[in-house]
Amino acid sequence: MTPLVFIALAVAGGLGAAARMVLDGAIKSRASGPWATMGINVSGSLALGILTGSAGEQILPEAWHLVIGTGFLGGYTTFSTASFETIRLIQERQWASGLVSGLGTLALATAAAGLGLWIGGLV
């Protein structure tokens, strides 16, 4: 990895985190519950699947795959927040929301990543 790619990766990570914060705030101002984090993680999984599928088909250079995938989407998605929200919902005895948050995020994000990988391979 070149120094330029490393710097671009770090900047992209910061931009991804900022994008997550803005989108999270916009969704939470309209809906309560784990929906913001779920939406962010599912959309990030779809985007990473498309990106990885495109890189696998040699459509996208590996440096861009690193910067966008590891940097931006790594900063954008947030497994730790999803885990924390799930535990918080369970502690608050919101069993259905906790189940949707934990298992729903896992199922939907995995399905979105698979769909994205398929789409990325078609491009």
Side-chain angles (χ1 to χ4, degrees):
M1 176 181 320
T2 67
L4 182 59
V5 170
F6 180 80
I7 291 168
L9 192 146
V11 169
L15 292 172
R20 177 183 71 227
M21 184 187 77
V22 169
L23 184 58
D24 184 71
I27 294 171
K28 283 184 177 177
S29 71
R30 291 170 178 76
S32 62
W35 310 116
T37 303
M38 284 181 69
I40 288 166
N41 284 335
V42 170
S43 65
S45 294
L46 177 65
L48 185 58
I50 293 169
L51 185 72
T52 302
S54 298
E57 295 296 320
Q58 307 299 318
I59 295 169
L60 186 69
E62 183 59 26
W64 281 102
H65 185 228
L66 281 172
V67 170
I68 298 169
T70 303
F72 183 83
L73 292 171
Y76 174 74
T77 58
T78 174
F79 181 76
S80 58
T81 301
S83 300
F84 173 77
E85 285 181 351
T86 299
I87 295 301
R88 184 185 50 76
L89 289 166
I90 291 169
Q91 287 176 332
E92 293 173 358
R93 301 196 189 306
Q94 295 182 32
W95 309 114
S97 293
L99 185 65
V100 168
S101 177
L103 296 179
T105 297
L106 175 63
L108 291 173
T110 301
L115 177 63
L117 192 59
W118 178 72
I119 292 169
L122 294 176
V123 177

